[in-house]
Amino acid sequence: AITVAPGRQAPFVAGDNLDGYFGGMTQSVGKGEGYVTRAGTLLLDYSSIVDGIANDRAHSAEQVLPYGRRARFANGATEEMALLSKQRALAISVANPRPASLAVAPMLVKAGALRQDGDVVTGAVGGMFVAFAADQPFTLDAGPVLRSTQPARSFTVVAAFGASEAEAAQSARRLA
């Protein structure tokens, strides 16, 4: 891991070992390229939320990892993003020292309406389809925001992309 000094913005890139990569900027939200494939940018960035308050990545202790990033916040929370090798998918986790309402807010590019069908959320994005699944029950709030239905100490959301809605949903469920 490469530790980035608080307040220092630096670009980083992590690949999915297929045809995609995540180009990000440390200590910021929405300033990098995001998750990019041949279809273009599909996910610009994301933020993590604890008890309704977005974690402030600009003031985090951040590490660049071979597969993504990890940020630690003054409130004790951590978030981690990992591109999943040989998959068109990434996992975003948020953790807190005590049980809390945890959420992930993906920033999609050229997204159509999202809909929740049980344990998965699907929609069209940038000429492909996206599906979100999680390691525990969640609700879809406006934004979009995927929020744990019960207080938890950790919450992981998988965003998977595919040529069809069914392919993306199947991948997200399997990887979550």
Side-chain angles (χ1 to χ4, degrees):
I2 299 170
T3 300
V4 179
R8 182 169 179 262
Q9 291 189 342
F12 71 93
V13 175
D16 65 10
N17 296 314
L18 287 173
D19 65 351
Y21 66 90
F22 188 95
M25 183 72 70
T26 63
Q27 308 292 318
S28 68
V29 175
K31 291 190 176 178
E33 291 179 84
Y35 182 61
V36 181
T37 68
R38 290 183 189 146
T41 299
L42 303 175
L43 177 90
L44 181 60
D45 209 347
Y46 61 92
S47 60
S48 63
I49 303 165
V50 176
D51 283 337
I53 299 170
N55 287 314
D56 184 4
R57 202 179 294 148
H59 296 99
S60 68
E62 191 162 350
Q63 293 179 307
V64 175
L65 307 168
Y67 52 81
R69 68 154 43 122
R70 179 182 304 126
R72 291 180 172 85
F73 304 97
N75 63 1
T78 60
E79 73 177 28
E80 188 167 325
M81 182 276 298
L83 265 72
L84 304 180
S85 184
K86 305 267 188 216
Q87 308 290 325
R88 285 189 179 82
L90 52 108
I92 304 165
S93 299
V94 58
N96 199 56
R98 61 174 178 70
S101 171
L102 302 178
V104 170
M107 298 169 63
L108 297 168
V109 177
K110 300 179 204 162
L114 297 178
R115 66 180 184 85
Q116 185 167 4
D117 182 15
D119 64 346
V120 70
V121 169
T122 58
V125 58
M128 292 187 76
F129 290 88
V130 63
F132 297 99
D135 63 349
Q136 59 191 283
F138 67 92
T139 59
L140 175 63
D141 298 340
V145 175
L146 291 85
R147 185 176 317 280
S148 61
T149 57
Q150 298 293 319
R153 293 182 64 174
S154 68
F155 180 56
T156 300
V157 172
V158 170
F161 300 88
S164 70
E165 186 175 48
E167 177 186 327
Q170 179 181 26
S171 180
R173 283 184 176 115
R174 179 175 46 81
L175 296 168

